[in-house]
Amino acid sequence: MLKTRYLILSLLLGGLLIRYWPHEPLAVAGSTAVLAQDGTLLRLTLAPDQRYRLWLPLEQFSPTLITAVKLQEDRWFYWHLGLNPVALLRAITETYGGGAKQGASTLTMQLARLKYRLNTKTPTGKLRQIALALWLEARYSKHDILEAYLNLAPYGRNIEGAAAASLVYFGKAPKLLTLPESLTLAVIPQQPNQRLGSGVSLNDARQRLWQRWQAAYSASPAQIQLMTLPLPVKRLEQLPFRAPHWVEQRLADTAANPVATLNTTLDLQLQTLLEKHLQQYLAQTRSRGINNAVAMLVDSRDQSVRALVGSADYFNASISGQVNGSLAKRSPGSTLKPLIYALGLDQGVIHPATILRDTPSAFGPYQPENFDGRFIGPLSATDALIKSRNIPAVWLASQLKNPSFYDFLQQAGISKLQSAEHYGLALVLGGGEVSMVELASLYTMLANEGRLKPLRYLKDTPPSKGEVLISEQASWLALDMLSKNPRPDGGSNAWPVAFKTGTSWGFRDAWTAGTVGPYVLVVWLGNFDGQGNPALIGLEAAAPLFFRIADALALAKPADKPMPKRPPSGLAQINICTASGELPNTWCPQQSSTWFIPGKSPIRVSSLHQPVHIDTRTGLAVCPPYDPAHTKTEIIEFWSSDMARLFKEAGVPRRKPPHIDCSGMASLGDAPKISSPLSGLAYTLRLSRPDETIALQAAASSEQLYWFDNQIYLGNAKSGGIAWRPQAGGWHQLSVVDDQGRSDSRQVKVELLP
């Protein structure tokens, strides 16, 4: 009796040791299914052994399919140890007793045959199958065995597993199978090639299983109705081959660690939209020698890449169609200029209305020219950007510090840059090379308040906080400036659009990049071999395609129409003198408003317009005392000599100010004098009392007074003063300027206490 107990205990321990001793998983290398964001199949790759086999966990199969498979193959699966003696005895009796040939293989036995490639038509092969089935049951759980069978069952030709079969025959994930589809897949593994070759055989087998299903389970009226409908089954040749460049790049990214399923962010509707418009546009422009195009669409709300077309025709060898043009390094032309202006805004070099000079200029040995060979003269920063003037952009880049434009591009992750000395200021005009993916990332950064975040290609990629490279205020201003860029066709936009075109040297690349509602869109036209073409001009070649897609986006995704975007906090609007871009003095004839960043944007009172007293008899300027009967006052623009020359060269000469050898321009009244705060006193403010302020007041004959703190514009007041609460303690240089340019200043010490 004791020996028997030891024997039983030994057997139990041996069984536990076999079950839980580390052993290799049943899974084998399989295919990869690349899916769009809605689960639609884009591509199903071949496994290393040239079979379509998509290995998925059991939990990702439809419960209906699992039930149908067990009903068809092995109803007693959970009750046997790999061999069903009753079924085996019945099969032997029927097969060798003159009846119809029957099989008795359990799911475990079938798995043994599939996994170990057994020939079970011989007695020896059958015995090996039984032994291996018992071995599998001893080592693996029922869960693992059923999972392995579903992933290895034959489904015709080189298709293995219900997951791959579900995608091939029904174009859907196995978890989404309906009852008719589940019953169909359950009967295919028995004689798969014969049944798939004969619709009658397949339908008959499914109908017999349906009858057994109704006998074993209750069928709902909806299921009964569904079974009466025809069931279309696709062929292997109909496997989709969508978004090839996108898919191949995702597969390359995961080649080191392949996975069964890649759930991408690609929106198939938008992918189709881009492909259609590229093909249609190129069909219309091919007579101009434009043969290839690339486009990319990013959702700036979550950085997900929604569509990407790497070439106009993947299968066209004459244009190297299989090359993914979105990854190619190319000259961006002027498409980087918005980043330069954003940095200039952020570093306090300009505000949107700052007057810049478009004139022949030399920056050391570098003498840039404009695309059209002309020079406009003085113009606002906004106009300089949307008109893509090169000289102002190069000058602005020369003023950037911490970071310089080159340092900024390195921080933004632009790869394969050579040294800063190699490019010099030519980097501003496309001297360096970027890829479309990198350019889209930069524009997405502007749309995301200056925060650079990695682009997302897979749905399960977690969002990133990213890194702030440009302030929220400067990013918004840069896009606001671009939004004033008119469409080349003169049409109107359904969604807000801010765009910039670019043309590379030698007419090799035509670009347009920008924001369209919540999306960032970049398009490129050219030739992959770098051949130039005078038709490849950004505004004329790429912009029309950009706006075709932009208009189609608004129609395709009406629910994505953005709400009006408010300016971020930290921005203020001020009135400026339109001609000078500075605070208006008393004599400024025309004012307009502009945004600026308090504490950053350069601002001062304009001295451009000054009153001059003219003798009506001679037309010359006169000095006081004036003869009222023969004197008139005129407001004249006093441009510097170099600016006057620019206006003349631009064809819009300005009136030359008269020569004055007296104080004829002197203004009347007293200059402003600060009365508060007092000199020599320290002012104390408590952090716990945010309502405490210091009064800024001055005595002046002028009504308009502008206040500054260390050259930072604080505000203006027509009369009285303003309330000031400094952000930091210490010494402050306060100054006040009236609308005639006269000023007063004093130093004040401020202490901040809890």
Side-chain angles (χ1 to χ4, degrees):
M1 180 65 104
L2 186 58
K3 291 183 179 180
T4 303
R5 290 179 179 176
Y6 280 130
L7 178 60
I8 295 173
L9 182 59
S10 298
L11 291 173
L12 289 173
L13 289 175
L16 290 173
L17 185 62
I18 292 173
R19 170 58 64 90
Y20 294 107
W21 188 264
H23 48 271
E24 65 177 2
L26 291 171
V28 296
S31 305
T32 296
V34 186
L35 308 178
Q37 66 164 354
D38 62 354
T40 302
L41 181 66
L42 301 173
R43 175 93 64 89
L44 183 64
T45 68
L46 283 166
D49 58 0
Q50 300 302 299
R51 295 175 182 271
Y52 290 105
R53 183 195 310 112
L54 185 64
W55 196 284
L56 294 183
L58 183 63
E59 291 71 24
Q60 293 189 26
F61 289 91
S62 164
T64 304
L65 173 63
I66 295 172
T67 303
V69 167
K70 290 188 295 182
L71 182 62
Q72 172 72 10
E73 302 288 353
D74 190 352
R75 295 188 63 179
W76 304 101
F77 173 69
Y78 286 108
W79 301 97
H80 61 67
L81 298 178
L83 178 68
N84 188 337
V86 176
L88 182 61
L89 180 61
R90 183 176 64 249
I92 294 173
T93 302
E94 290 292 329
T95 302
Y96 297 102
K101 184 178 179 180
Q102 290 189 6
S105 295
T106 62
L107 282 175
T108 312
M109 291 172 64
Q110 293 186 56
L111 175 61
R113 174 176 58 83
L114 295 169
K115 181 170 178 59
Y116 300 108
R117 306 295 179 184
L118 302 176
N119 179 9
T120 59
K121 293 183 179 180
T122 65
T124 302
K126 180 62 69 174
L127 289 174
R128 286 189 65 197
Q129 181 185 26
I130 293 172
L132 287 170
L134 295 173
W135 177 246
L136 287 171
E137 288 279 353
R139 300 191 72 197
Y140 299 94
S141 67
K142 289 288 187 180
H143 173 282
D144 293 345
I145 291 171
L146 181 57
E147 177 183 277
Y149 172 80
L150 286 171
N151 281 294
L152 290 175
Y155 280 91
R157 298 172 66 174
N158 61 337
I159 304 170
E160 285 188 1
S166 177
L167 290 172
V168 171
Y169 298 135
F170 302 116
K172 62 174 62 175
K175 200 167 188 176
L176 305 176
L177 292 169
T178 64
L179 178 59
E181 293 165 345
S182 296
L183 296 178
T184 301
L185 291 186
V187 300
I188 289 177
Q190 294 183 2
Q191 303 175 327
N193 289 318
Q194 290 87 339
R195 283 186 173 159
L196 286 170
S198 171
V200 175
S201 174
L202 179 60
N203 291 333
D204 289 347
R206 187 186 68 176
Q207 193 62 30
R208 288 193 295 270
L209 181 56
W210 168 234
Q211 292 171 358
R212 292 165 58 193
W213 178 284
Q214 290 178 295
Y217 309 104
S218 59
S220 67
Q223 290 177 324
I224 295 173
Q225 177 64 27
L226 201 59
M227 287 298 299
T228 64
L229 302 176
L231 180 65
V233 178
K234 299 179 181 179
R235 301 188 306 275
L236 181 61
E237 291 77 13
Q238 294 176 287
L239 266 178
F241 191 84
R242 300 300 308 273
H245 297 99
W246 166 290
V247 169
E248 288 173 1
Q249 189 58 43
R250 305 290 71 74
L251 292 172
D253 291 344
T254 58
N257 298 291
V259 295
T261 305
L262 285 175
N263 293 294
T264 74
T265 60
L266 182 137
D267 186 317
L268 201 51
Q269 180 189 14
L270 297 179
Q271 177 72 18
T272 303
L273 184 149
L274 258 65
E275 292 172 350
K276 180 186 72 173
H277 282 284
L278 256 68
Q279 293 168 2
Q280 290 179 350
Y281 185 75
L282 288 177
Q284 297 170 0
T285 59
R286 195 158 285 123
S287 60
R288 297 160 57 193
I290 301 177
N291 300 315
N292 212 342
V294 183
M296 185 174 182
L297 188 68
V298 180
D299 191 331
S300 65
R301 294 168 293 189
D302 60 2
Q303 288 69 58
S304 57
V305 180
R306 294 301 185 190
L308 186 150
V309 183
S311 74
D313 186 351
Y314 182 86
F315 298 102
N316 188 343
S318 67
I319 61 170
S320 302
Q322 294 190 15
V323 173
N324 186 352
S326 69
L327 301 177
K329 288 282 192 172
R330 297 191 173 277
S331 168
S334 295
T335 56
L336 294 181
K337 285 179 181 174
L339 286 307
I340 298 167
Y341 279 79
L343 289 169
L345 292 162
D346 209 16
Q347 295 184 19
V349 181
I350 59 169
H351 57 70
T354 297
I355 299 300
L356 302 179
R357 304 181 182 188
D358 181 25
T359 177
S361 304
F363 300 87
Y366 184 50
Q367 293 182 299
E369 294 185 357
N370 287 311
F371 179 79
D372 57 8
R374 298 173 54 250
F375 299 95
I376 294 178
L379 74 172
S380 71
T382 298
D383 285 340
L385 174 58
I386 65 177
K387 293 179 180 179
S388 200
R389 310 311 294 175
N390 288 342
I391 310 303
V394 174
W395 174 84
L396 182 55
S398 72
Q399 305 302 304
L400 298 179
K401 304 289 189 298
N402 300 320
S404 66
F405 186 53
Y406 177 85
D407 293 337
F408 166 78
L409 292 180
Q410 283 198 316
Q411 294 173 8
I414 305 303
S415 63
K416 300 180 180 180
L417 286 175
Q418 300 190 49
S419 67
E421 293 74 20
H422 173 81
Y423 299 111
L425 291 173
L427 184 63
V428 177
L429 307 181
E433 294 185 332
V434 301
S435 69
M436 175 175 286
V437 171
E438 291 171 336
L439 189 60
S441 180
L442 291 173
Y443 274 77
T444 305
M445 177 199 64
L446 287 178
N448 275 282
E449 302 171 348
R451 188 177 292 272
L452 181 68
K453 303 178 183 180
L455 298 182
R456 296 174 59 249
Y457 295 90
L458 302 178
K459 289 173 66 175
D460 56 0
T461 301
S464 169
K465 287 187 176 180
E467 179 184 4
V468 176
L469 299 186
I470 299 176
S471 73
E472 178 183 3
Q473 294 79 18
S475 300
W476 187 89
L477 285 175
L479 287 179
D480 184 61
M481 293 163 70
L482 281 181
S483 69
K484 297 173 173 58
N485 200 358
R487 291 174 58 133
D489 59 4
S492 58
N493 299 312
W495 285 354
V497 174
F499 76 101
K500 183 71 188 72
T501 61
T503 306
S504 67
W505 296 108
F507 303 103
R508 295 180 176 89
D509 310 274
W511 295 87
T512 299
T515 61
V516 182
Y519 296 98
V520 169
L521 174 63
V522 184
V523 300
W524 170 91
L525 285 88
N527 299 294
F528 285 168
D529 61 4
Q531 182 180 358
N533 181 347
L536 290 173
I537 297 173
L539 186 63
E540 298 176 7
L545 175 58
F546 177 94
F547 279 99
R548 286 193 186 191
I549 297 173
D551 294 341
L553 270 176
L555 295 174
K557 296 287 185 179
D560 287 346
K561 183 177 182 179
M563 298 293 292
K565 198 170 183 179
R566 294 184 177 181
S569 60
L571 282 180
Q573 268 191 313
I574 56 172
N575 286 332
I576 58 166
C577 186
T578 304
S580 66
E582 299 170 337
L583 294 171
N585 63 9
T586 300
W587 304 286
C588 177
Q590 184 177 1
Q591 298 184 22
S592 56
S593 65
T594 187
W595 293 100
F596 86 116
I597 309 174
K600 287 185 179 180
S601 299
I603 199 73
R604 66 177 184 177
V605 178
S606 175
S607 59
L608 175 63
H609 300 90
Q610 297 291 339
V612 177
H613 300 283
I614 304 295
D615 189 314
T616 57
R617 294 165 296 183
T618 65
L620 300 176
V622 295
C623 301
Y626 307 116
D627 180 0
H630 300 92
T631 304
K632 65 178 181 179
T633 302
E634 295 183 3
I635 306 301
I636 298 178
E637 297 178 357
F638 280 78
W639 293 100
S640 61
S641 59
D642 58 339
M643 290 293 282
R645 185 181 68 255
L646 290 184
F647 279 115
K648 184 177 180 181
E649 292 173 352
V652 282
R654 289 295 193 265
R655 175 183 177 182
K656 183 178 180 180
H659 174 71
I660 303 175
D661 57 1
C662 61
S663 56
M665 291 196 305
S667 54
L668 301 176
D670 297 326
K673 187 173 183 179
I674 296 175
S675 58
S676 174
L678 300 175
S679 298
L681 294 180
Y683 287 78
T684 300
L685 298 176
R686 288 171 291 179
L687 297 174
S688 59
R689 294 290 303 275
D691 56 325
E692 289 184 343
T693 59
I694 299 174
L696 302 184
Q697 295 178 333
S701 58
S702 299
E703 291 187 356
Q704 192 76 26
L705 298 178
Y706 302 95
W707 289 91
F708 299 84
D709 173 18
N710 296 324
Q711 298 184 341
I712 297 173
Y713 179 62
L714 299 177
N716 65 83
K718 289 190 174 181
S719 60
I722 64 174
W724 172 55
R725 183 177 176 85
Q727 299 299 312
W731 287 97
H732 294 260
Q733 181 74 25
L734 292 175
S735 57
V736 61
V737 182
D738 69 7
D739 52 13
Q740 298 182 40
R742 300 171 299 182
S743 64
D744 186 26
S745 64
R746 67 178 45 171
Q747 282 194 331
V748 175
K749 187 176 183 181
V750 177
E751 295 179 355
L752 298 179
L753 300 179

